[in-house]
């Protein structure tokens, strides 16, 4: 592989959907423009993040496996019904926005890392190599499960709300 699988550094509202991307030295999908979307993808064995979407974007129904970096990265956007497995970084790295109905297992740095103000609902972590869920200040963790984490199930910042979760 070489560079990124799909890279659109200039466009806003870019869309990538319905496909498989694997074995690239960089990211599988890199869409830093605001309002971009990635959906119905399978991304494997990339040398950086599996899928990166910029501010206000969406990622839906996508699986990322065996990437050297984080599975998913998003800024103030929403990730829905996605899976991150056996990635070298975090399964999901969210900077604001939220994740709904997502699953992560055995990601090296942890399964879910949510920065301040992020909302995670009905997400599952299984066998995280470090932390299942690490959430920052003012985050919400609702109806989520952290099972068999090697270090800690749930770690929360100040004023975080943890509701109906299992660890």
């Amino acid at each position: 592989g070489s560079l990124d699988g799909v890279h659109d550094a200039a466009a806003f509202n870019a869309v990538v959907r319905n496909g498989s991307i694997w074995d690239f030295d960089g990211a599988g999908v890199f869409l830093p423009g605001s309002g971009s979307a990635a959906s119905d993808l399978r991304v494997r064995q990339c040398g950086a993040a599996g899928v990166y979407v910029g501010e206000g974007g969406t990622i839906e129904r996508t699986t990322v496996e065996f990437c050297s970096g984080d599975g998913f990265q998003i800024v103030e956007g929403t990730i829905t019904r996605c899976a991150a497995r056996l990635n070298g970084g975090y399964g999901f790295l969210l900077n604001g926005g939220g994740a709904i109905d997502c699953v992560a297992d055995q990601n090296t740095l942890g399964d879910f890392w949510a920065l301040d103000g992020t909302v995670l609902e009905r997400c599952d972590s299984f066998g995280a190599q470090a932390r299942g869920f690490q959430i920052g200040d003012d985050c919400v963790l609702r109806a989520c499960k952290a099972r068999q984490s090697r270090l800690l199930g749930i770690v929360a910042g100040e004023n975080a709300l943890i509701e109906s979760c299992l660890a």
Side-chain angles (χ1 to χ4, degrees):
S2 65
L3 304 175
D4 298 330
V6 176
H7 183 115
D8 191 344
F12 297 99
N13 302 313
V15 176
V16 176
R17 64 177 173 236
N18 300 325
S20 296
I21 299 163
W22 67 84
D23 197 23
F24 284 89
D25 292 335
V29 176
F30 185 75
L31 304 173
S34 66
S36 294
S39 65
D40 301 299
L41 301 171
R42 183 171 179 123
V43 179
R44 296 180 57 130
Q45 296 172 296
C46 293
V51 179
Y52 174 89
V53 173
E55 188 171 348
T58 60
I59 305 170
E60 298 178 321
R61 299 173 307 278
T62 293
T63 299
V64 175
E65 301 172 305
F66 307 111
C67 290
S68 297
D70 300 324
F72 295 91
Q73 296 177 347
I74 196 164
V75 179
E76 294 291 336
T78 303
I79 302 176
T80 307
R81 295 184 301 279
C82 291
R85 295 185 181 98
L86 297 162
N87 295 292
Y90 292 96
F92 293 84
L93 175 55
L94 299 100
N95 187 356
I100 302 166
D101 297 322
C102 292
V103 177
D105 63 89
Q106 301 181 52
N107 296 284
T108 302
L109 296 181
D111 283 346
F112 292 87
W113 183 18
L115 302 178
D116 299 351
T118 302
V119 177
L120 295 112
E121 296 186 65
R122 298 181 309 275
C123 293
D124 289 343
S125 165
F126 181 79
Q129 300 299 306
R131 296 173 176 95
F133 294 90
Q134 173 140 5
I135 62 173
D137 297 345
D138 303 307
C139 287
V140 175
L141 190 64
R142 183 174 293 122
C144 294
K145 298 175 190 168
R147 295 172 289 142
Q148 298 184 9
S149 300
R150 290 198 181 192
L151 185 57
L152 298 167
I154 299 171
V155 178
E158 293 182 18
N159 300 313
L161 172 63
I162 300 172
E163 182 178 76
S164 301
C165 294
L166 173 67

